[in-house]
Amino acid sequence: MEAPHSQATDATTRLTLDSPAEMQELGRKIAKLLRPGDLVLLTGELGAGKTTLARGLGEGLGVRGAVTSPTFVIARVHPSLVGGPALVHVDAYRLGGGLDEMEDLDLDVSLPDSVVVVEWGDGKVEELSDDRLHVVIDRVVGETDDDRRVVTVSGLGTRWSGAGIEGL
């Protein structure tokens, strides 16, 4: 397995990943940078690897329960098993009202004390925080196998300035 290729500028890193295992490993690496109150937006087409990345985040954060797609329940809370922040995993695909609907979920957790990961959150939950990590997953086009992805990780806001994104 070839090591992922990376290119970094400011608070943005672009990686080429060749397998779901590498996507999950990227999630574990990102988890090391996360702290309570962080918002992570995952963007990509259906089947791009958003949930696989979220599974790696959960493993890296040491949370309880298997991280699976929350499509039908909209949100799942995974408490920490290691004294860290809980992982709140949200699928905003069916949320039309954005932040209002997010608040209506009545999550049994304090969002400032958790890491909130939102799939399909573009244009819906950005107002939760001025500081957020945005992960965009694109399939590689052309003659390549289906598992290759280009992942762009961007830190927005002062929280992510110098946070180590470039080293992923």
Side-chain angles (χ1 to χ4, degrees):
M1 175 170 73
E2 180 181 355
H5 317 284
S6 70
Q7 172 183 5
T9 58
D10 297 323
T12 297
T13 294
R14 182 180 303 260
L15 304 150
T16 300
L17 306 179
D18 295 318
S19 69
E22 288 183 6
M23 184 70 73
Q24 201 161 332
E25 176 61 23
L26 176 60
R28 288 190 288 270
K29 288 179 180 178
I30 291 172
K32 292 176 183 175
L33 303 177
L34 297 174
R35 60 186 189 208
D38 282 344
L39 173 64
V40 181
L41 297 181
L42 303 180
T43 301
E45 64 187 53
L46 192 64
K50 296 180 297 296
T51 302
T52 301
L53 182 76
R55 188 172 301 118
L57 290 171
E59 289 174 4
L61 290 170
V63 299
R64 185 179 74 209
V67 176
T68 59
S69 178
T71 299
F72 297 106
V73 295
I74 301 178
R76 284 197 175 96
V77 177
H78 299 273
S80 177
L81 295 172
V82 296
L87 172 68
V88 179
H89 186 203
V90 179
D91 185 327
Y93 185 75
R94 294 183 291 142
L95 293 181
L99 189 57
D100 290 340
E101 282 188 58
M102 183 78 173
E103 289 173 350
D104 289 345
L105 293 176
D106 196 27
L107 298 172
D108 185 25
V109 67
S110 171
L111 295 180
D113 297 329
S114 306
V115 170
V116 178
V117 177
V118 184
E119 295 186 30
W120 305 100
D122 288 357
K124 298 177 182 175
V125 297
E126 286 90 344
E127 51 194 275
L128 280 173
S129 176
D130 289 335
D131 297 308
R132 59 191 171 276
L133 192 64
H134 193 175
V135 181
V136 179
I137 306 169
D138 292 306
R139 292 178 191 260
V140 173
V141 294
E143 292 189 34
T144 184
D145 63 44
D146 254 358
D147 290 335
R148 183 167 279 186
R149 304 288 189 264
V150 173
V151 181
T152 305
V153 181
S154 302
L156 306 171
T158 57
R159 153 71 179 101
W160 294 102
S161 176
I165 292 170
E166 298 83 5
L168 290 175

